[in-house]
Amino acid sequence: MTQLAATLRSSMADAFARRASFWSQVGTMVANDAAWIAFWVIFFHRVGAVRGWDQHRILLLFAVLTTSAGFVLGVLSNTKRIPQLVNDGALDEVLALPVSPLPHLLVRRIDSINLGDVLFGIVLFAVAGHPNPERTLVFVVACIASAVLLTGFLVATGSLVFFTGSGQLGDMSLHTMLLLANYPAEVFTGYTRALLYTAVPAAFVAGVPARLVDHFTVAKGAALLTAAVVMAVLGWTVFSLGLRRYTSGSAWSRG
Amino acid sequence: MSRARPARRLGVPAALSAQRLLADRGGLAFSVLFYVVVVSALSGLWRAAAGRAPVAGYSAVALTWYIATSEAAICAIQIRLIEEIGDDIAAGTVAVELLRPLSVVAVRIAMQTGRALARLACLIGCGAVLALLVAGSPPSGGAVLLAVPSLVLAVAANVSLQHAVAAMAFWIRDARSAWFIYQKFIFILGGMLLPLEVLPSALHTAALRLPFMAMAYAPARLASGHFEPGLLLVQAVWLVVMLAAATAAFAAGQRRLQVVGG
């Protein structure tokens, strides 16, 4: 744990080292998120409500999504680079250290640009989420569960590179997950909606947490926590199994 | 004759880029899959919104064809093109290209347009099948035919403007953030996520006067059943303006690059 904290401190110091670049990247992401908010505001201003979702609830969804996904892609930024790290042989240096490889790998690099998402999400919740102690507590816990679930999913799909040799499935999963998490699952019907609660559990990343903040039920809370635990275990298992197949990044050892 | 030769020569890098893209089957499949996911999600949202009554004059069917077309026009182009051009400028790679007997920016635009058109053909084919399956036939056959040349103009104008924007790297050595902001203009003011008629009145008027409307809105408006041939003329004018802007920006930047290089 101490080593993990030290690695995280070092990653943060690295991210903050170039202050001007850091803030310009954070500002860029805030502008990006503001454009999405503009889209949703215009959309709901024109159509009213869609299948139980209105402007207030979609802003809540976006607050959860930007906070949790921003944390995962910003603070644990290597979650999206596992295929590249494996193919480049960059795990060699991690395996030589007396630490558990996966947690160390995840906190080793911070992407400043995604910290803009975290900042935006927190401010959006403060402004449009009608925060009170109860809603804030649910928001925080739901964001943590969402971040755990997203990390597990990205690690699991990224680790498929150990078995397939190609990182394209990991990239596709990342983009698909983030894209679908932008929309309420209720917009979809039939198999597509079922998919969002199972194979690509995008509904649990933002839609379900947003509903919990608005209307907490034990059943939905338990479903979210269960999904997060299942995905975390899946990510850990696929990475651990895959690591056994990892031989070396040395170019001459690969066929 | 002397004017036609450079144009013919530019066809070679364009065709080679298109062939290279089509040869990368994995990459192409990835692009198509992602496009299908995007169109399914966004058109699903719009169909849900227009289920009971049309939105800004667009029916659920029209909106599905609109989104399939607008997304194809944008997804056909390399997503981080501005950033990549900027990196090439900042790293000095572009200096080597000055040795060619053709304009650097013309060759680059030809190559990227060739790639984009090859990808566009695959995307719009899949998009049309998807729209047919989930929504039904296009609202107007004639308008859909006009959408084909409109898509080509949209891609060419977009690639040209991205080169003009990326040329900022000649001065500030970095265009990494610019693509992010540029995309957001395309998303809203270009009509990629929503028809411009959905925007509030003042924003709608402003968006129709900006070049971004030529890059997604124009072909999507046609594909959604609005027979408005005038849109092609507007796109052609914007394409000429964008090409001139990119050429001027690169010419000015290259002069500066020579000064920096000594």
Side-chain angles (χ1 to χ4, degrees), chain A residues 172-196:
Chain A
M172 182 75 196
S173 305
L174 165 70
H175 292 299
T176 305
M177 181 70 146
L178 292 180
L179 178 90
L180 293 175
N182 268 294
Y183 301 93
E186 286 76 6
V187 163
F188 306 98
T189 52
Y191 292 119
T192 315
R193 191 189 291 187
L195 200 73
L196 296 183

Side-chain angles (χ1 to χ4, degrees), chain A residues 52-74:
Chain A
W53 285 81
D54 56 12
Q55 183 181 312
H56 154 76
R57 193 164 274 176
I58 207 80
L59 293 186
L60 207 48
L61 179 149
F62 210 74
V64 174
L65 177 63
T66 48
T67 306
S68 60
F71 178 82
V72 174
L73 302 179

Side-chain angles (χ1 to χ4, degrees), chain B residues 7 23 48 58 60 66 146 154 225 256 262:
Chain B
Y58 288 82
Y66 183 99
L146 280 184
R256 182 181 168 80

Side-chain angles (χ1 to χ4, degrees), chain B residues 40-80:
Chain B
S40 303
L42 197 53
S43 68
L45 176 74
W46 280 111
R47 274 197 306 282
R52 279 171 292 177
V55 177
Y58 288 82
S59 66
V61 175
L63 282 166
T64 304
W65 281 90
Y66 183 99
I67 295 299
T69 311
S70 70
E71 289 290 344
I74 303 305
C75 292
I77 298 167
Q78 215 163 310
I79 189 166
R80 293 186 172 214

Side-chain angles (χ1 to χ4, degrees), chain A residues 32 46 172 175 183 187, chain B residues 30 33-34 42 45 184 197:
Chain A
N32 170 68
R46 177 63 83 154
M172 182 75 196
H175 292 299
Y183 301 93
V187 163
Chain B
F30 176 80
L33 260 173
F34 186 64
L42 197 53
L45 176 74
K184 298 305 150 319
E197 288 76 14

Side-chain angles (χ1 to χ4, degrees), chain A residues 4 7-8 11 14 69-86 88 90-91 93-94 101-112 114 150-159 161-162 170-171 174 239:
Chain A
L4 211 59
T7 309
L8 189 59
S11 305
D14 185 40
F71 178 82
V72 174
L73 302 179
V75 180
L76 312 176
S77 78
N78 274 340
T79 44
K80 61 188 173 197
R81 287 198 194 83
I82 289 176
Q84 187 192 338
L85 292 170
V86 172
D88 291 351
L91 296 193
E93 59 204 68
V94 180
L102 183 58
H104 176 80
L105 197 69
L106 294 186
V107 299
R108 208 174 55 168
R109 175 173 167 163
I110 287 178
D111 265 358
S112 311
N114 294 102
L150 187 58
T151 304
F153 178 80
L154 296 182
V155 169
T157 52
S159 299
V161 71
F162 288 116
D171 286 343
L174 165 70
F239 182 84

